[in-house]
Amino acid sequence: MEQKLLEQLETIFNPNSVAIVGISNKEYNLGYRWLKSLQDAGFPTLYPVNPKGGEMLGLKVFPRITDITGEVDLAILLIPREAVPQVARECALKRVKGIVLYTSGFRETGTEGRKLEEEIVKAAHEGGTRVIGPSCLGPYNPSAKLITHYAFPRKAGSVGVISHSGFLFNYLVSSVAATGIGPSKGISCGSDSDLSFVDFLEYLGQDQQTKIIVAYLEGVEDGRRLLKVAREVSREKPIIILKGGDTEIGKETSASHTGTLAVSAIIWDTLCRQTGILSVDSFQQMIDSLIALFYLPRPRGKRVGVIAAPGGIAVSAADACSKLGLELPKLSTDTQTQLANLVGTLGTNLKNPVDLGPMGAMAAERYVKGAIQIVAKDPNIDMLLVSFIGPRTSDEAKDASSAEGLFNAVREGGKPTVFSGASLQGWDRGELKFLRQYSVPVYPEARRAAYVLARLAEYSEFVRQV
């Protein structure tokens, strides 16, 4: 990343001061809520701006941004479209480092709106000011106490978040937080009038706190740069993207939403293969993949050993793996012999998938654990999918002990392992609940477990090839 751009983005994500322009003291006013959220988070220097002046939440309100006596790193503009050009010029005079333009009604409305947007960017650049948006919520960085949404985590995690959509940015940050991994930094970038999705991808790619990047993308202005940046970033950290605008109606909706240029599905698929981007079709797939990529080691290949109980689960797990392009190789003779010694007549199939039968599921602490220990040592296996179902127990101490045994077996095996399964009543088996506490990926069905192994294998293959 160019040093000048890096310095600009560092200031935007780590500002020492924030001005909120277009704020009122009404509690339903968005600016008021953002100001209060920043105050509650402990952000150091805040400047409310309203032509009426006065005081708000114990802070002096300035009539104009140029009336502020101190330096302003970031200005959030919550004002009507017609007022933006003049305020942008004032921000340039004030040498504000960055503008967050929440207002919509620019390029997505047509030629006139695009011209107005270009006028704003030009005016801002005259003072060295960069523009984020329009139609965006701007940056989020808990490490810098830059938290404009009261529900966002105040403790930083490891996942970078980028979104063209403001609402979906909120949804993504909240979803990442719910995994327990947590967001590191995030940006709602809107229409990419100046600073773009790719700029933020490159920035998060070099951010040491960020280990994985998740994003919602509606379009790309510079496909060649995205290809170059994404390929470089993917070498070091996974990028998981849900792209909108795949269909004709989706493209039309994207154009009227953020005005970004939609990319055809064929071009997008090609770009993903060349860059290592993991393209998903739903937020569920995104979060499922995020959990696996964060917690699991990288596999050597796409050969899966399936351990299941009872037989129907084995069949569905095998089908899911096969449809996703994963391989289910035959287990070695030595592995099958060891499994036969473990389960005796319980097992109905010891080749792959390994079917431990109903009794195997009833006593997971013995049979499932033992099968993991055996199959993980097989040289033909790169990853394990363990899926079993059975009655819910009320003995939490026993469940915790069983989960500890399963976890130890996974740890000793050293290969990426995911679990799926539920009780007959629709609740988690106790072992699975406790396995989550060990940061072992657990999914409610085998299909979702197989999906994340496929994405894990895909990403690992990309990294090996570059």
Side-chain angles (χ1 to χ4, degrees):
M1 173 173 275
E2 295 180 0
Q3 186 62 30
K4 183 178 180 181
L5 178 58
L6 175 61
E7 291 173 357
Q8 290 170 332
L9 291 172
E10 280 287 351
T11 301
I12 286 169
F13 277 98
N14 298 277
N16 292 316
S17 56
V18 172
I20 301 180
V21 185
I23 194 170
S24 79
N25 58 8
K26 297 177 181 178
E27 290 191 10
Y28 58 80
N29 174 263
L30 184 61
Y32 181 91
R33 292 186 176 188
W34 284 9
L35 178 67
K36 191 170 190 318
S37 178
L38 286 162
Q39 264 194 339
D40 291 346
F43 190 84
T45 306
L46 295 164
Y47 299 116
V49 178
N50 185 292
K52 296 180 180 179
E55 185 177 295
M56 188 179 303
L57 294 176
L59 299 171
K60 179 181 178 180
V61 178
F62 294 88
R64 299 193 309 171
I65 200 162
T66 49
D67 295 327
I68 297 172
T69 53
E71 291 187 359
V72 178
D73 286 338
L74 189 66
I76 301 174
L77 275 53
L78 305 168
I79 54 179
R81 186 183 80 157
E82 294 72 20
V84 174
Q86 177 58 35
V87 176
R89 285 189 283 271
E90 293 175 1
C91 287
L93 285 172
K94 183 65 180 174
R95 302 291 177 182
V96 174
K97 308 302 187 301
I99 292 174
V100 174
L101 186 51
Y102 173 82
T103 313
S104 59
F106 294 94
R107 75 169 77 177
E108 73 275 16
T109 64
T111 303
E112 181 184 347
R114 179 177 286 275
K115 288 182 178 178
L116 185 59
E117 185 179 292
E118 291 171 352
E119 177 188 342
I120 293 164
V121 173
K122 182 180 178 181
H125 281 188
E126 290 177 357
T129 304
R130 302 305 301 264
V131 180
I132 307 163
S135 305
C136 75
L137 304 179
Y140 156 72
N141 182 5
S143 296
K145 303 186 187 303
L146 183 62
I147 307 173
T148 56
H149 196 301
Y150 68 92
F152 282 0
R154 297 188 181 186
K155 182 179 179 181
S158 303
V159 183
V161 181
I162 314 172
S163 176
H164 274 136
S165 163
F167 172 78
L168 292 180
F169 175 71
N170 287 345
Y171 180 82
L172 265 179
V173 170
S174 299
S175 297
V176 169
T179 66
I181 302 171
S184 55
K185 294 178 178 66
I187 184 79
S188 160
C189 56
S191 298
D192 289 2
S193 65
D194 179 20
L195 291 172
S196 70
F197 179 98
V198 183
D199 291 326
F200 298 119
L201 177 64
E202 189 172 16
Y203 175 77
L204 290 175
Q206 58 81 53
D207 178 55
Q208 293 184 357
Q209 198 171 32
T210 299
K211 306 304 179 186
I212 298 179
I213 299 168
V214 298
Y216 170 73
L217 171 72
E218 286 193 357
V220 181
E221 292 291 329
D222 189 345
R224 290 183 179 178
R225 183 163 174 248
L226 174 60
L227 190 151
K228 178 179 181 293
V229 168
R231 187 172 177 83
E232 291 174 352
V233 172
S234 290
R235 291 186 179 119
E236 304 298 328
K237 55 188 75 173
I239 305 169
I240 310 171
I241 296 182
L242 173 63
K243 189 183 78 67
D246 280 340
T247 63
E248 288 304 314
I249 188 64
K251 291 176 184 176
E252 292 176 11
T253 306
S254 174
S256 62
H257 180 212
T258 60
T260 51
L261 183 63
V263 180
S264 72
I266 295 174
I267 293 175
W268 176 248
D269 289 344
T270 302
L271 187 148
C272 289
R273 285 196 300 272
Q274 294 178 357
T275 60
I277 289 173
L278 299 173
S279 180
V280 296
D281 296 323
S282 69
F283 287 112
Q284 180 189 84
Q285 290 180 350
M286 176 182 283
I287 298 303
D288 283 355
S289 301
L290 165 66
I291 292 169
L293 284 158
F294 184 80
Y295 287 118
L296 298 181
R298 304 289 176 251
R300 298 174 301 170
K302 56 182 180 180
R303 302 171 300 176
V304 181
V306 174
I307 300 169
I313 302 297
V315 173
S316 62
D319 282 343
C321 289
S322 182
K323 288 177 181 178
L324 289 163
L326 296 170
E327 299 172 4
L328 276 75
K330 184 177 179 180
L331 299 176
S332 70
T333 302
D334 181 54
T335 299
Q336 293 186 52
T337 299
Q338 291 183 60
L339 287 170
N341 291 334
L342 170 70
V343 301
T345 58
L346 291 180
T348 59
N349 182 9
L350 302 180
K351 294 179 180 179
N352 193 16
V354 176
D355 175 12
L356 298 176
M359 288 305 297
M362 296 291 288
E365 69 280 3
R366 177 182 176 186
Y367 295 110
V368 175
K369 172 187 172 183
I372 293 172
Q373 291 172 322
I374 294 168
V375 176
K377 295 177 183 177
D378 193 300
N380 298 323
I381 297 300
D382 302 312
M383 303 177 286
L384 278 73
L385 192 163
V386 183
S387 184
F388 57 97
I389 193 167
R392 189 186 191 195
T393 71
S394 58
D395 190 340
E396 288 212 342
K398 180 181 177 182
D399 289 340
S401 176
S402 177
E404 183 179 9
L406 292 170
F407 170 69
N408 287 334
V410 170
R411 183 176 58 182
E412 291 164 10
K415 293 180 179 177
T417 302
V418 295
F419 285 76
S420 72
S423 75
L424 296 176
Q425 294 88 354
W427 294 303
D428 270 354
R429 284 182 59 115
E431 302 101 321
L432 300 179
K433 178 180 70 175
F434 286 103
L435 272 174
R436 287 193 179 98
Q437 296 178 12
Y438 286 108
S439 300
V440 174
V442 178
Y443 302 96
E445 57 174 320
R447 178 179 58 87
R448 286 169 62 179
Y451 177 84
V452 302
L453 290 182
R455 306 326 299 272
L456 189 67
E458 178 186 344
Y459 178 69
S460 299
E461 183 178 3
F462 170 81
V463 173
R464 285 194 302 271
Q465 291 176 346
V466 295

